[in-house]
Amino acid sequence: MPISKVAKDNTQLLEKVKAVPGATYQETTMREYPYGEALGHLSGYIGPMTAEKLEELKDQGYTSTDLIGRRGLEQTLEERLRGENGLKILIKKQGDTGEELTIAETPAKDGETVVLTIDAELQKSTYEAMEGEAGTSAAVNPKTGETLVLVSSPAYNPNEYMLGISEDRFKELSEDPLNPLFNRFGAAYAPGSTIKPITAAIGMEAGTLEPSVGLQIDGATWQKDGSWGDYRVTRLHPEAPNPVDLNTALVYSDNIYFARQALEMGNQAFVSGLQRFGFGEEIPFALELQSSQISNEGTLGSQGQLADTSFGQGQMLTNILHLASMYEPFLTDGTMYKPLLFMDEEKSQVWKEGLLSAENAKVLRTGCVMSS
């Protein structure tokens, strides 16, 4: 009498099953996800064929007993990962020998082996460092565009789905307030202060931001004039030493400095600069990712919105992988590469180039190191 199916990595439950008097167990060959939650949203999982999916794929050789990619790369790469069943027709002779004669045979074919650019151990350590907090992380090779880390936290363990997740467990995941079933690296969020070096790069290329020229900034809040009404830009470190130049602004993450620089370069120059960095366009990646946006309309309607957007607030949203890619030009003297996910893709495919000069890239490299 079967008691339970247990994933190999679920050692606690496996020991409980083995402790049942008279119970034994046998190993079954199946898909295994050794990095569990750390790669859950990226790998996805395969699961039993549904009636609806079978109807959709009825002309592609699927049967009701097949497993099929349900989420993540398992779903995206279904056609490449899926193998082909073999077929053998035999005639067995009667008598003592029981000799078998093969009439026809079609050998089974394995699916493709797909190798990712992801560093699995770095992915795991990044996921663990997030300690179950809701968020997303990405890391890229700035010289090639290879994606090394793409994390969504918290996540689910795809091994649970392979065994047929219980109704109670699925309800637990679905009702978790941190929403581990939601793929955060596919979405876009307010970038906050991480966008400030990009604002600086745009201003320097526009010729309105001189890194060594400091601004006199006094107090914790600032507004351009009385036409702003009650709206004021607030900074966290009013103790920053005056005058505030670019390096000081990066070290102290000074909202007022970047707001004033955005106003100096103007709406048109800032928006066109962000568009050159890929805002408002599809991210060229193997998986579908939400595009980064300047605002809901793609424009900035007021000086206040321009100020807010300069330090990553307002209606600005960025995808985490796009954000990581936007830092590449600081190391490549102005080039941003297409983010890659598969090892067989051509490396160092240029997505954007001429984003900033080698001189300005060097200035921002220094500033980012000082502020880290």
Side-chain angles (χ1 to χ4, degrees), residues 4-15 18 25-36 157-160 162-163:
S4 177
K5 294 180 181 179
V6 182
K8 187 170 67 175
D9 64 352
N10 192 343
T11 55
Q12 185 176 9
L13 184 55
L14 182 59
E15 290 303 317
K18 292 160 76 173
Y25 72 95
Q26 64 181 29
E27 292 187 359
T28 301
T29 301
M30 58 186 293
R31 186 84 99 228
E32 182 183 356
Y33 301 97
Y35 285 88
N157 187 341
N159 290 303
E160 291 188 85
M162 273 298 303
L163 297 168

PDB file of all heavy atoms in Angstrom, residues 4-15 18 25-36 157-160 162-163:
ATOM      1  N   SER A   4       3.328   7.463   0.603  1.00  0.00           N
ATOM      2  CA  SER A   4       3.618   8.844   0.214  1.00  0.00           C
ATOM      3  C   SER A   4       4.721   8.877  -0.820  1.00  0.00           C
ATOM      4  O   SER A   4       5.536   7.957  -0.908  1.00  0.00           O
ATOM      5  CB  SER A   4       4.046   9.665   1.447  1.00  0.00           C
ATOM      6  OG  SER A   4       4.387  10.981   1.096  1.00  0.00           O
ATOM      7  N   LYS A   5       4.727   9.946  -1.630  1.00  0.00           N
ATOM      8  CA  LYS A   5       5.839  10.249  -2.506  1.00  0.00           C
ATOM      9  C   LYS A   5       6.628  11.378  -1.848  1.00  0.00           C
ATOM     10  O   LYS A   5       6.057  12.369  -1.413  1.00  0.00           O
ATOM     11  CB  LYS A   5       5.353  10.691  -3.883  1.00  0.00           C
ATOM     12  CG  LYS A   5       4.635   9.607  -4.666  1.00  0.00           C
ATOM     13  CD  LYS A   5       4.183  10.146  -6.013  1.00  0.00           C
ATOM     14  CE  LYS A   5       3.447   9.078  -6.813  1.00  0.00           C
ATOM     15  NZ  LYS A   5       2.971   9.624  -8.125  1.00  0.00           N
ATOM     16  N   VAL A   6       7.939  11.211  -1.789  1.00  0.00           N
ATOM     17  CA  VAL A   6       8.775  12.169  -1.078  1.00  0.00           C
ATOM     18  C   VAL A   6       9.949  12.581  -1.960  1.00  0.00           C
ATOM     19  O   VAL A   6      10.620  11.718  -2.531  1.00  0.00           O
ATOM     20  CB  VAL A   6       9.323  11.560   0.242  1.00  0.00           C
ATOM     21  CG1 VAL A   6      10.159  12.594   0.994  1.00  0.00           C
ATOM     22  CG2 VAL A   6       8.191  11.059   1.105  1.00  0.00           C
ATOM     23  N   ALA A   7      10.184  13.876  -2.069  1.00  0.00           N
ATOM     24  CA  ALA A   7      11.346  14.361  -2.804  1.00  0.00           C
ATOM     25  C   ALA A   7      12.623  13.971  -2.070  1.00  0.00           C
ATOM     26  O   ALA A   7      12.666  13.963  -0.841  1.00  0.00           O
ATOM     27  CB  ALA A   7      11.280  15.875  -2.965  1.00  0.00           C
ATOM     28  N   LYS A   8      13.673  13.653  -2.817  1.00  0.00           N
ATOM     29  CA  LYS A   8      14.924  13.204  -2.225  1.00  0.00           C
ATOM     30  C   LYS A   8      15.523  14.240  -1.283  1.00  0.00           C
ATOM     31  O   LYS A   8      16.176  13.907  -0.294  1.00  0.00           O
ATOM     32  CB  LYS A   8      15.915  12.870  -3.344  1.00  0.00           C
ATOM     33  CG  LYS A   8      17.195  12.224  -2.842  1.00  0.00           C
ATOM     34  CD  LYS A   8      18.035  11.690  -3.980  1.00  0.00           C
ATOM     35  CE  LYS A   8      18.592  12.773  -4.855  1.00  0.00           C
ATOM     36  NZ  LYS A   8      19.514  12.250  -5.883  1.00  0.00           N
ATOM     37  N   ASP A   9      15.284  15.554  -1.599  1.00  0.00           N
ATOM     38  CA  ASP A   9      15.868  16.593  -0.760  1.00  0.00           C
ATOM     39  C   ASP A   9      15.047  16.882   0.494  1.00  0.00           C
ATOM     40  O   ASP A   9      15.465  17.644   1.361  1.00  0.00           O
ATOM     41  CB  ASP A   9      16.062  17.887  -1.564  1.00  0.00           C
ATOM     42  CG  ASP A   9      14.752  18.491  -2.052  1.00  0.00           C
ATOM     43  OD1 ASP A   9      13.704  17.832  -1.903  1.00  0.00           O
ATOM     44  OD2 ASP A   9      14.788  19.621  -2.580  1.00  0.00           O
ATOM     45  N   ASN A  10      13.870  16.253   0.601  1.00  0.00           N
ATOM     46  CA  ASN A  10      13.031  16.435   1.797  1.00  0.00           C
ATOM     47  C   ASN A  10      13.393  15.346   2.808  1.00  0.00           C
ATOM     48  O   ASN A  10      12.641  14.398   3.045  1.00  0.00           O
ATOM     49  CB  ASN A  10      11.551  16.383   1.431  1.00  0.00           C
ATOM     50  CG  ASN A  10      10.642  16.852   2.558  1.00  0.00           C
ATOM     51  OD1 ASN A  10      11.059  16.924   3.724  1.00  0.00           O
ATOM     52  ND2 ASN A  10       9.402  17.168   2.229  1.00  0.00           N
ATOM     53  N   THR A  11      14.569  15.468   3.387  1.00  0.00           N
ATOM     54  CA  THR A  11      15.096  14.398   4.249  1.00  0.00           C
ATOM     55  C   THR A  11      14.250  14.194   5.503  1.00  0.00           C
ATOM     56  O   THR A  11      14.119  13.069   5.994  1.00  0.00           O
ATOM     57  CB  THR A  11      16.536  14.728   4.653  1.00  0.00           C
ATOM     58  OG1 THR A  11      16.577  16.029   5.262  1.00  0.00           O
ATOM     59  CG2 THR A  11      17.459  14.731   3.438  1.00  0.00           C
ATOM     60  N   GLN A  12      13.661  15.273   6.016  1.00  0.00           N
ATOM     61  CA  GLN A  12      12.866  15.152   7.241  1.00  0.00           C
ATOM     62  C   GLN A  12      11.647  14.263   7.022  1.00  0.00           C
ATOM     63  O   GLN A  12      11.377  13.336   7.803  1.00  0.00           O
ATOM     64  CB  GLN A  12      12.429  16.538   7.711  1.00  0.00           C
ATOM     65  CG  GLN A  12      11.698  16.531   9.057  1.00  0.00           C
ATOM     66  CD  GLN A  12      11.372  17.938   9.534  1.00  0.00           C
ATOM     67  OE1 GLN A  12      11.524  18.913   8.818  1.00  0.00           O
ATOM     68  NE2 GLN A  12      10.904  18.041  10.759  1.00  0.00           N
ATOM     69  N   LEU A  13      10.924  14.516   5.920  1.00  0.00           N
ATOM     70  CA  LEU A  13       9.743  13.704   5.634  1.00  0.00           C
ATOM     71  C   LEU A  13      10.140  12.291   5.241  1.00  0.00           C
ATOM     72  O   LEU A  13       9.469  11.319   5.608  1.00  0.00           O
ATOM     73  CB  LEU A  13       8.911  14.357   4.527  1.00  0.00           C
ATOM     74  CG  LEU A  13       7.590  13.669   4.165  1.00  0.00           C
ATOM     75  CD1 LEU A  13       6.702  13.483   5.387  1.00  0.00           C
ATOM     76  CD2 LEU A  13       6.865  14.455   3.079  1.00  0.00           C
ATOM     77  N   LEU A  14      11.243  12.169   4.537  1.00  0.00           N
ATOM     78  CA  LEU A  14      11.704  10.850   4.123  1.00  0.00           C
ATOM     79  C   LEU A  14      12.014   9.982   5.336  1.00  0.00           C
ATOM     80  O   LEU A  14      11.661   8.790   5.377  1.00  0.00           O
ATOM     81  CB  LEU A  14      12.948  10.983   3.237  1.00  0.00           C
ATOM     82  CG  LEU A  14      13.537   9.687   2.676  1.00  0.00           C
ATOM     83  CD1 LEU A  14      12.507   8.941   1.839  1.00  0.00           C
ATOM     84  CD2 LEU A  14      14.790   9.975   1.857  1.00  0.00           C
ATOM     85  N   GLU A  15      12.638  10.554   6.353  1.00  0.00           N
ATOM     86  CA  GLU A  15      12.946   9.795   7.572  1.00  0.00           C
ATOM     87  C   GLU A  15      11.673   9.385   8.295  1.00  0.00           C
ATOM     88  O   GLU A  15      11.601   8.285   8.866  1.00  0.00           O
ATOM     89  CB  GLU A  15      13.837  10.632   8.498  1.00  0.00           C
ATOM     90  CG  GLU A  15      15.261  10.823   7.981  1.00  0.00           C
ATOM     91  CD  GLU A  15      15.960   9.493   7.722  1.00  0.00           C
ATOM     92  OE1 GLU A  15      15.833   8.583   8.574  1.00  0.00           O
ATOM     93  OE2 GLU A  15      16.616   9.365   6.668  1.00  0.00           O
ATOM     94  N   LYS A  18      10.300   6.368   6.437  1.00  0.00           N
ATOM     95  CA  LYS A  18      11.121   5.182   6.673  1.00  0.00           C
ATOM     96  C   LYS A  18      10.951   4.635   8.089  1.00  0.00           C
ATOM     97  O   LYS A  18      11.196   3.458   8.357  1.00  0.00           O
ATOM     98  CB  LYS A  18      12.591   5.514   6.416  1.00  0.00           C
ATOM     99  CG  LYS A  18      12.876   5.790   4.933  1.00  0.00           C
ATOM    100  CD  LYS A  18      14.156   6.579   4.723  1.00  0.00           C
ATOM    101  CE  LYS A  18      15.382   5.736   4.883  1.00  0.00           C
ATOM    102  NZ  LYS A  18      16.613   6.492   4.513  1.00  0.00           N
ATOM    103  N   TYR A  25      10.938   1.484   0.957  1.00  0.00           N
ATOM    104  CA  TYR A  25      10.815   2.506  -0.081  1.00  0.00           C
ATOM    105  C   TYR A  25      11.631   2.108  -1.293  1.00  0.00           C
ATOM    106  O   TYR A  25      12.520   1.267  -1.221  1.00  0.00           O
ATOM    107  CB  TYR A  25      11.274   3.874   0.440  1.00  0.00           C
ATOM    108  CG  TYR A  25      12.764   3.997   0.635  1.00  0.00           C
ATOM    109  CD1 TYR A  25      13.575   4.543  -0.366  1.00  0.00           C
ATOM    110  CD2 TYR A  25      13.374   3.577   1.810  1.00  0.00           C
ATOM    111  CE1 TYR A  25      14.942   4.641  -0.201  1.00  0.00           C
ATOM    112  CE2 TYR A  25      14.743   3.681   1.988  1.00  0.00           C
ATOM    113  CZ  TYR A  25      15.523   4.216   0.977  1.00  0.00           C
ATOM    114  OH  TYR A  25      16.884   4.311   1.156  1.00  0.00           O
ATOM    115  N   GLN A  26      11.309   2.709  -2.414  1.00  0.00           N
ATOM    116  CA  GLN A  26      12.081   2.491  -3.626  1.00  0.00           C
ATOM    117  C   GLN A  26      12.253   3.830  -4.338  1.00  0.00           C
ATOM    118  O   GLN A  26      11.388   4.693  -4.272  1.00  0.00           O
ATOM    119  CB  GLN A  26      11.393   1.486  -4.561  1.00  0.00           C
ATOM    120  CG  GLN A  26      10.048   1.952  -5.093  1.00  0.00           C
ATOM    121  CD  GLN A  26       9.404   0.893  -5.992  1.00  0.00           C
ATOM    122  OE1 GLN A  26       9.640  -0.302  -5.802  1.00  0.00           O
ATOM    123  NE2 GLN A  26       8.618   1.340  -6.948  1.00  0.00           N
ATOM    124  N   GLU A  27      13.413   3.999  -4.958  1.00  0.00           N
ATOM    125  CA  GLU A  27      13.687   5.234  -5.671  1.00  0.00           C
ATOM    126  C   GLU A  27      13.077   5.167  -7.068  1.00  0.00           C
ATOM    127  O   GLU A  27      13.081   4.118  -7.713  1.00  0.00           O
ATOM    128  CB  GLU A  27      15.188   5.480  -5.766  1.00  0.00           C
ATOM    129  CG  GLU A  27      15.833   5.778  -4.415  1.00  0.00           C
ATOM    130  CD  GLU A  27      17.286   6.195  -4.558  1.00  0.00           C
ATOM    131  OE1 GLU A  27      17.779   6.231  -5.709  1.00  0.00           O
ATOM    132  OE2 GLU A  27      17.917   6.485  -3.529  1.00  0.00           O
ATOM    133  N   THR A  28      12.559   6.315  -7.510  1.00  0.00           N
ATOM    134  CA  THR A  28      11.952   6.421  -8.821  1.00  0.00           C
ATOM    135  C   THR A  28      12.674   7.503  -9.612  1.00  0.00           C
ATOM    136  O   THR A  28      12.925   8.591  -9.090  1.00  0.00           O
ATOM    137  CB  THR A  28      10.459   6.784  -8.717  1.00  0.00           C
ATOM    138  OG1 THR A  28       9.795   5.779  -7.951  1.00  0.00           O
ATOM    139  CG2 THR A  28       9.822   6.879 -10.093  1.00  0.00           C
ATOM    140  N   THR A  29      13.018   7.213 -10.851  1.00  0.00           N
ATOM    141  CA  THR A  29      13.673   8.200 -11.700  1.00  0.00           C
ATOM    142  C   THR A  29      12.671   9.279 -12.091  1.00  0.00           C
ATOM    143  O   THR A  29      11.586   8.986 -12.590  1.00  0.00           O
ATOM    144  CB  THR A  29      14.236   7.538 -12.962  1.00  0.00           C
ATOM    145  OG1 THR A  29      15.168   6.526 -12.587  1.00  0.00           O
ATOM    146  CG2 THR A  29      14.931   8.557 -13.841  1.00  0.00           C
ATOM    147  N   MET A  30      13.038  10.528 -11.846  1.00  0.00           N
ATOM    148  CA  MET A  30      12.160  11.638 -12.194  1.00  0.00           C
ATOM    149  C   MET A  30      13.005  12.905 -12.284  1.00  0.00           C
ATOM    150  O   MET A  30      14.190  12.904 -11.958  1.00  0.00           O
ATOM    151  CB  MET A  30      11.054  11.819 -11.150  1.00  0.00           C
ATOM    152  CG  MET A  30      11.573  12.071  -9.743  1.00  0.00           C
ATOM    153  SD  MET A  30      10.267  12.116  -8.499  1.00  0.00           S
ATOM    154  CE  MET A  30       9.402  13.583  -8.984  1.00  0.00           C
ATOM    155  N   ARG A  31      12.393  13.985 -12.744  1.00  0.00           N
ATOM    156  CA  ARG A  31      13.093  15.260 -12.826  1.00  0.00           C
ATOM    157  C   ARG A  31      13.439  15.747 -11.426  1.00  0.00           C
ATOM    158  O   ARG A  31      12.627  15.670 -10.519  1.00  0.00           O
ATOM    159  CB  ARG A  31      12.220  16.297 -13.522  1.00  0.00           C
ATOM    160  CG  ARG A  31      12.919  17.608 -13.780  1.00  0.00           C
ATOM    161  CD  ARG A  31      13.739  17.586 -15.068  1.00  0.00           C
ATOM    162  NE  ARG A  31      13.002  18.216 -16.150  1.00  0.00           N
ATOM    163  CZ  ARG A  31      12.847  17.701 -17.360  1.00  0.00           C
ATOM    164  NH1 ARG A  31      13.376  16.527 -17.637  1.00  0.00           N
ATOM    165  NH2 ARG A  31      12.175  18.336 -18.289  1.00  0.00           N
ATOM    166  N   GLU A  32      14.673  16.226 -11.249  1.00  0.00           N
ATOM    167  CA  GLU A  32      15.118  16.698  -9.948  1.00  0.00           C
ATOM    168  C   GLU A  32      15.590  18.139 -10.075  1.00  0.00           C
ATOM    169  O   GLU A  32      16.263  18.507 -11.036  1.00  0.00           O
ATOM    170  CB  GLU A  32      16.264  15.825  -9.438  1.00  0.00           C
ATOM    171  CG  GLU A  32      16.762  16.211  -8.054  1.00  0.00           C
ATOM    172  CD  GLU A  32      17.950  15.364  -7.621  1.00  0.00           C
ATOM    173  OE1 GLU A  32      18.324  14.443  -8.358  1.00  0.00           O
ATOM    174  OE2 GLU A  32      18.511  15.660  -6.553  1.00  0.00           O
ATOM    175  N   TYR A  33      15.228  18.966  -9.090  1.00  0.00           N
ATOM    176  CA  TYR A  33      15.630  20.372  -9.050  1.00  0.00           C
ATOM    177  C   TYR A  33      16.508  20.578  -7.812  1.00  0.00           C
ATOM    178  O   TYR A  33      16.018  20.930  -6.740  1.00  0.00           O
ATOM    179  CB  TYR A  33      14.398  21.276  -9.009  1.00  0.00           C
ATOM    180  CG  TYR A  33      13.480  21.078 -10.202  1.00  0.00           C
ATOM    181  CD1 TYR A  33      12.358  20.244 -10.122  1.00  0.00           C
ATOM    182  CD2 TYR A  33      13.745  21.707 -11.412  1.00  0.00           C
ATOM    183  CE1 TYR A  33      11.530  20.050 -11.203  1.00  0.00           C
ATOM    184  CE2 TYR A  33      12.918  21.519 -12.510  1.00  0.00           C
ATOM    185  CZ  TYR A  33      11.806  20.694 -12.408  1.00  0.00           C
ATOM    186  OH  TYR A  33      10.992  20.503 -13.498  1.00  0.00           O
ATOM    187  N   PRO A  34      17.821  20.357  -7.950  1.00  0.00           N
ATOM    188  CA  PRO A  34      18.696  20.321  -6.771  1.00  0.00           C
ATOM    189  C   PRO A  34      18.832  21.659  -6.042  1.00  0.00           C
ATOM    190  O   PRO A  34      19.218  21.669  -4.872  1.00  0.00           O
ATOM    191  CB  PRO A  34      20.040  19.873  -7.348  1.00  0.00           C
ATOM    192  CG  PRO A  34      19.987  20.230  -8.788  1.00  0.00           C
ATOM    193  CD  PRO A  34      18.557  20.055  -9.186  1.00  0.00           C
ATOM    194  N   TYR A  35      18.530  22.768  -6.702  1.00  0.00           N
ATOM    195  CA  TYR A  35      18.667  24.068  -6.035  1.00  0.00           C
ATOM    196  C   TYR A  35      17.331  24.598  -5.509  1.00  0.00           C
ATOM    197  O   TYR A  35      17.272  25.714  -5.003  1.00  0.00           O
ATOM    198  CB  TYR A  35      19.332  25.080  -6.975  1.00  0.00           C
ATOM    199  CG  TYR A  35      20.814  24.822  -7.112  1.00  0.00           C
ATOM    200  CD1 TYR A  35      21.291  23.939  -8.077  1.00  0.00           C
ATOM    201  CD2 TYR A  35      21.724  25.416  -6.253  1.00  0.00           C
ATOM    202  CE1 TYR A  35      22.651  23.668  -8.197  1.00  0.00           C
ATOM    203  CE2 TYR A  35      23.091  25.154  -6.360  1.00  0.00           C
ATOM    204  CZ  TYR A  35      23.535  24.281  -7.324  1.00  0.00           C
ATOM    205  OH  TYR A  35      24.887  24.012  -7.427  1.00  0.00           O
ATOM    206  N   GLY A  36      16.287  23.785  -5.610  1.00  0.00           N
ATOM    207  CA  GLY A  36      15.016  24.098  -4.960  1.00  0.00           C
ATOM    208  C   GLY A  36      14.528  25.514  -5.175  1.00  0.00           C
ATOM    209  O   GLY A  36      14.446  26.001  -6.305  1.00  0.00           O
ATOM    210  N   ASN A 157       9.411  25.556  -3.972  1.00  0.00           N
ATOM    211  CA  ASN A 157      10.310  24.463  -4.323  1.00  0.00           C
ATOM    212  C   ASN A 157       9.673  23.648  -5.454  1.00  0.00           C
ATOM    213  O   ASN A 157       8.646  22.990  -5.250  1.00  0.00           O
ATOM    214  CB  ASN A 157      10.558  23.564  -3.113  1.00  0.00           C
ATOM    215  CG  ASN A 157      11.614  22.509  -3.380  1.00  0.00           C
ATOM    216  OD1 ASN A 157      11.923  22.199  -4.530  1.00  0.00           O
ATOM    217  ND2 ASN A 157      12.177  21.951  -2.324  1.00  0.00           N
ATOM    218  N   PRO A 158      10.248  23.675  -6.660  1.00  0.00           N
ATOM    219  CA  PRO A 158       9.632  22.943  -7.783  1.00  0.00           C
ATOM    220  C   PRO A 158       9.557  21.445  -7.558  1.00  0.00           C
ATOM    221  O   PRO A 158       8.738  20.764  -8.182  1.00  0.00           O
ATOM    222  CB  PRO A 158      10.547  23.296  -8.969  1.00  0.00           C
ATOM    223  CG  PRO A 158      11.823  23.757  -8.367  1.00  0.00           C
ATOM    224  CD  PRO A 158      11.462  24.385  -7.064  1.00  0.00           C
ATOM    225  N   ASN A 159      10.392  20.903  -6.654  1.00  0.00           N
ATOM    226  CA  ASN A 159      10.320  19.465  -6.372  1.00  0.00           C
ATOM    227  C   ASN A 159       8.963  19.078  -5.771  1.00  0.00           C
ATOM    228  O   ASN A 159       8.495  17.951  -5.956  1.00  0.00           O
ATOM    229  CB  ASN A 159      11.450  19.060  -5.421  1.00  0.00           C
ATOM    230  CG  ASN A 159      12.813  19.131  -6.086  1.00  0.00           C
ATOM    231  OD1 ASN A 159      13.052  18.501  -7.104  1.00  0.00           O
ATOM    232  ND2 ASN A 159      13.708  19.933  -5.522  1.00  0.00           N
ATOM    233  N   GLU A 160       8.337  19.998  -5.036  1.00  0.00           N
ATOM    234  CA  GLU A 160       7.018  19.720  -4.471  1.00  0.00           C
ATOM    235  C   GLU A 160       5.986  19.502  -5.570  1.00  0.00           C
ATOM    236  O   GLU A 160       5.097  18.654  -5.450  1.00  0.00           O
ATOM    237  CB  GLU A 160       6.579  20.872  -3.572  1.00  0.00           C
ATOM    238  CG  GLU A 160       7.375  21.018  -2.287  1.00  0.00           C
ATOM    239  CD  GLU A 160       6.768  22.060  -1.361  1.00  0.00           C
ATOM    240  OE1 GLU A 160       5.853  21.705  -0.589  1.00  0.00           O
ATOM    241  OE2 GLU A 160       7.203  23.223  -1.428  1.00  0.00           O
ATOM    242  N   MET A 162       6.613  18.469  -8.634  1.00  0.00           N
ATOM    243  CA  MET A 162       6.904  17.241  -9.357  1.00  0.00           C
ATOM    244  C   MET A 162       6.176  16.046  -8.760  1.00  0.00           C
ATOM    245  O   MET A 162       5.769  15.130  -9.452  1.00  0.00           O
ATOM    246  CB  MET A 162       8.413  16.972  -9.315  1.00  0.00           C
ATOM    247  CG  MET A 162       9.197  17.636 -10.423  1.00  0.00           C
ATOM    248  SD  MET A 162       8.697  17.060 -12.045  1.00  0.00           S
ATOM    249  CE  MET A 162       8.968  15.311 -11.870  1.00  0.00           C
ATOM    250  N   LEU A 163       6.006  16.052  -7.454  1.00  0.00           N
ATOM    251  CA  LEU A 163       5.367  14.925  -6.765  1.00  0.00           C
ATOM    252  C   LEU A 163       3.859  15.059  -6.706  1.00  0.00           C
ATOM    253  O   LEU A 163       3.170  14.158  -6.252  1.00  0.00           O
ATOM    254  CB  LEU A 163       5.927  14.819  -5.339  1.00  0.00           C
ATOM    255  CG  LEU A 163       7.420  14.514  -5.257  1.00  0.00           C
ATOM    256  CD1 LEU A 163       7.929  14.708  -3.851  1.00  0.00           C
ATOM    257  CD2 LEU A 163       7.678  13.090  -5.726  1.00  0.00           C
TER     258      LEU A 163
END
